[in-house]
Amino acid sequence: KNQVEQSPQSLIILEGKNCTLQCNYTVSPFSNLRWYKQDTGRGPVSLTIMTFSENTKSNGRYTATLDADTKQSSLHITASQLSDSASYICVVSGGSNSGYALNFGKGTSLLVTP
Amino acid sequence: DGGITQSPKYLFRKEGQNVTLSCEQNLNHDAMYWYRQDPGQGLRLIYYSQIVNDFQKGDIAEGYSVSREKKESFPLTVTSAQKNPTAFYLCASSIRHGTSGRNEQFFGPGTRLTVL
């Protein structure tokens, strides 16, 4: 069973609009949570990383939030651009007992249209 | 792509043939990884290596083999025993494996393998 669930599976928005992607996880214990951006046909690139003690992290127009109590994270994209079209992957790292094993979500595919 | 190169970008092979995917990094990272990505699925770990001359099976190692003779190189061989090899293959590296969850994995550009 996948321990990281992302929603929605896909999303289409108009350029300039905001959007929010969701990530729910059951990984326990939990070390940290990363959001990656993956352009089509390319490797993922890290956007943000948060530990259990951090509840928000920004990287330009990307803002990630984390609620470790409810095991939920979100990635908010502000004033979207065409270049934001990509797949966004939530990755949750387990604790030391799992060797900090990475658990990958299936990703949310975002399309920004003119 | 963070100092990690993969070649070739596209690879075609006939059924029953072995094929080797290249992965090289110049980041001086100890740990290297191979993942497989299929449409609608999350990345799945095939093999990883914590240090030269050492490697461990991941979640889906059957039908694959690796070697780690040099720190900067971690080639993946897809053997004829892999029943469904058509996929996008990603190589990654990190400074260390398992010593801290904050160690970022840097990914290469990927190789798309198609079996004809």
Side-chain angles (χ1 to χ4, degrees):
Chain A
K1 181 182 182 297
N2 198 342
Q3 298 189 68
V4 181
E5 300 289 343
Q6 293 188 241
S7 62
Q9 185 175 9
S10 61
L11 184 62
I12 302 175
I13 62 172
L14 290 174
E15 186 179 11
K17 297 297 186 181
N18 303 338
C19 68
T20 300
L21 314 180
Q22 299 290 342
C23 174
N24 297 340
Y25 62 93
T26 59
V27 178
S28 183
F30 150 83
S31 174
N32 61 70
L33 185 149
R34 282 187 193 272
W35 282 93
Y36 279 89
K37 178 186 179 187
Q38 183 179 21
D39 293 316
T40 300
R42 308 284 291 175
V45 176
S46 180
L47 292 174
T48 64
I49 178 174
M50 290 179 292
T51 65
F52 64 87
S53 61
E54 298 172 297
N55 55 25
T56 187
K57 184 71 70 75
S58 291
N59 178 0
R61 294 178 297 101
Y62 300 101
T63 299
T65 63
L66 173 65
D67 186 333
D69 291 332
T70 62
K71 294 184 169 54
Q72 295 179 326
S73 176
S74 65
L75 181 68
H76 186 74
I77 304 175
T78 304
S80 61
Q81 300 176 0
L82 298 180
S83 59
D84 292 331
S85 295
S87 179
Y88 292 84
I89 303 171
C90 176
V91 185
V92 180
S93 175
S96 58
N97 64 324
S98 70
Y100 301 100
L102 298 185
N103 299 270
F104 290 84
K106 296 180 180 181
T108 291
S109 179
L110 173 65
L111 177 62
V112 181
T113 63
Chain B
D1 291 295
I4 300 178
T5 59
Q6 292 185 241
S7 61
K9 186 169 181 62
Y10 299 97
L11 188 56
F12 298 88
R13 87 154 212 222
K14 294 181 180 179
E15 272 192 58
Q17 289 182 338
N18 294 352
V19 63
T20 298
L21 282 58
S22 169
C23 177
E24 305 276 333
Q25 54 101 358
N26 62 3
L27 301 170
N28 200 33
H29 286 171
D30 281 334
M32 297 186 74
Y33 308 81
W34 274 105
Y35 293 93
R36 171 181 172 139
Q37 188 174 37
D38 295 283
Q41 293 200 39
L43 273 67
R44 292 183 290 170
L45 182 64
I46 304 173
Y47 268 99
Y48 67 97
S49 168
Q50 300 186 56
I51 200 166
V52 174
N53 293 322
D54 171 81
F55 49 83
Q56 306 292 329
K57 292 182 178 180
D59 300 320
I60 56 165
E62 185 176 353
Y64 299 97
S65 66
V66 294
S67 64
R68 186 88 185 276
E69 298 176 0
K70 298 185 297 183
K71 186 175 187 176
E72 59 270 24
S73 179
F74 190 40
L76 173 74
T77 297
V78 185
T79 75
S80 57
Q82 169 49 235
K83 297 306 179 186
N84 186 21
T86 295
F88 189 54
Y89 290 87
L90 286 162
C91 178
S93 72
S94 65
I95 296 174
R96 300 282 186 274
H97 173 76
T99 56
S100 167
R102 292 188 69 90
N103 283 341
E104 179 178 352
Q105 288 193 14
F106 294 86
F107 288 85
T111 292
R112 185 165 299 281
L113 172 63
T114 302
V115 175
L116 304 173

